[in-house]
Amino acid sequence: MKDHDHYTMQDPVSQYPKATNEWKQKQPEPGLQKEMMPVPDSGETSYHGSGRLAGRKAVVTGADSGIGRAVAIAYAREGADILLSYLPEEEADAKEVVKLIEETGRKANAMPGDLQDEQYCEQLITSAVEKLGGIDILANVAGKQQYVEDIADLTTEQFDATFKSNVYSMFWLCKAAVKHMKPGSSIINTSSIQAYKPSPILLDYATTKAAINTFSKALAQQVASKGIRVNIVAPGPVWTPLQVAGGQPTEKLAEFGSNTPLGRAGQPVEMAPAYVFLASQESSYISGETLNANGGTPSP
Ligand code: NAD
Ligand code: MG
């Protein structure tokens, strides 16, 4: 999948493979992209930049794998320097991203840590200001998803950890970043189709994704007069470690994405253009908006 052509006109239905029985696999949380089979396409060879973010300074969370990795690679190829956040266990994936960014001639500052910790979130923004010289883009892509079939088995610990990872971290990072952002800066938060079409087994996760939409739409209005825009990307089923590391029952991975109108799962690189567009000046009159990148499922 890695040498895929992302630019020539072609049928999106067959652009990437559909899930098969081989997609059934299981890793412990948070999972490693390099151990997935097939390895997802995060744009390593397929995303080409064109200077749309020249000179920008960006913080990307979850930048080691999946969608965050695709965003980090795309932002660097569009000309931005990057501060990467990820969990310490994900160093093997993150190293590859750092190398790919450095090959573009941009800065890649790696800062592993736990986004459930408010101090780490504050330090991430302080580090961006110190090491990159400021922050123009905050892409909150990190997220936690662990399926639980029955509310009786959903622990307070998990409910808390999902909210801390997905909602509180976004609050802490936005709060710290806004203090440093100049007019023209952009925040992009990551929701999900789960915000509108929640799976019964993703009670905690789906609820955080609805909260992310609403938080972003309120914050967008609050900071508009400072010249800061806040938008959201809401992916549908995308082939990433999240899904094979407890995000879905393993059995279901054989048909992952087949219920979308396009009939297949998305690849992380297919999410990157949405994050680039919302970060760039091209989206100057768009704020408080959710861009649904979900294979054609109708969404509000
Ligand atoms: P992924 O596993 O590749 O990325 C998630 C990342 O979140 C991890 O790599 C990890 O670095 C980070 N993370 C999680 N908990 C953390 C913590 N406590 N501290 C620091 N980092 C932490 O999977 P992905 O699918 O690319 O996920 C990216 C985003 O996309 C998530 O917000 C997810 O909810 C969202 N999303 C994914 C899908 C999908 O089908 N893959 C669909 C809709 C939305
Ligand atoms: Mg990861």
Side-chain angles (χ1 to χ4, degrees):
M1 239 188 285
K2 280 224 159 166
D3 288 316
H4 212 88
D5 170 11
H6 182 65
Y7 294 97
T8 307
M9 184 173 164
Q10 61 196 285
D11 184 348
V13 171
S14 53
Q15 184 167 346
Y16 284 99
K18 290 187 193 336
T20 63
N21 266 331
E22 283 163 17
W23 287 36
K24 285 196 235 163
Q25 53 206 276
K26 177 101 180 109
Q27 290 189 42
E29 200 187 5
L32 283 179
Q33 177 140 336
K34 61 190 329 203
E35 285 170 14
M36 286 174 72
M37 193 50 80
V39 177
D41 183 349
S42 284
E44 292 84 352
T45 58
S46 51
Y47 191 93
H48 307 168
S50 54
R52 294 161 77 195
L53 301 175
R56 307 292 212 287
K57 304 159 175 64
V59 172
V60 181
T61 68
D64 59 298
S65 61
I67 299 167
R69 178 186 179 107
V71 171
I73 291 169
Y75 280 4
R77 296 209 178 134
E78 297 291 354
D81 291 328
I82 318 285
L83 183 80
L84 299 90
S85 163
Y86 54 90
L87 286 162
E89 308 93 280
E90 299 175 306
E91 193 61 44
D93 276 348
K95 271 207 174 90
E96 295 178 347
V97 185
V98 167
K99 186 163 175 281
L100 287 165
I101 294 172
E102 286 175 348
E103 281 167 7
T104 68
R106 307 311 313 181
K107 278 189 206 163
N109 281 296
M111 197 173 152
D114 184 355
L115 289 168
Q116 295 188 44
D117 174 3
E118 182 172 5
Q119 274 189 341
Y120 168 70
C121 292
E122 288 170 355
Q123 283 161 6
L124 261 183
I125 304 301
T126 309
S127 285
V129 172
E130 285 168 3
K131 294 188 178 144
L132 305 181
I135 174 167
D136 309 313
I137 302 167
L138 170 62
N140 285 316
V141 191
K144 176 180 172 68
Q145 175 183 331
Q146 289 290 303
Y147 82 88
V148 176
E149 308 267 359
D150 188 330
I151 190 170
D153 300 323
L154 178 56
T155 62
T156 301
E157 287 71 25
Q158 172 168 330
F159 197 83
D160 208 36
T162 306
F163 271 77
K164 283 266 160 59
S165 306
N166 299 2
V167 180
Y168 282 67
S169 72
M170 169 188 65
F171 163 55
W172 292 325
L173 289 164
C174 288
K175 186 174 179 177
V178 161
K179 288 184 200 138
H180 298 282
M181 285 181 148
K182 293 182 304 207
S185 297
S186 180
I187 296 172
I188 301 108
N189 293 324
T190 305
S191 181
S192 168
I193 183 71
Q194 288 291 325
Y196 332 109
K197 268 186 86 179
S199 300
I201 60 172
L202 295 175
L203 212 49
D204 52 340
Y205 173 83
T207 306
T208 66
K209 292 293 160 178
I212 290 166
N213 259 328
T214 303
F215 174 94
S216 305
K217 287 167 196 284
L219 183 64
Q221 297 172 77
Q222 192 182 120
V223 299
S225 62
K226 299 185 204 286
I228 302 169
R229 295 179 299 107
V230 184
N231 288 289
I232 307 115
V233 177
V238 181
W239 183 236
T240 69
L242 191 81
Q243 302 296 354
V244 306
Q248 297 289 337
T250 307
E251 284 304 306
K252 284 205 170 167
L253 293 172
E255 60 213 37
F256 186 59
S258 63
N259 62 350
T260 61
L262 287 177
R264 64 165 174 88
Q267 291 294 321
V269 67
E270 296 181 281
M271 303 296 114
Y275 288 84
V276 169
F277 171 64
L278 294 172
S280 82
Q281 204 59 35
E282 292 165 275
S283 58
S284 51
Y285 204 55
I286 301 176
S287 195
E289 184 57 63
T290 304
L291 207 168
N292 294 284
N294 63 23
T297 302
S299 355

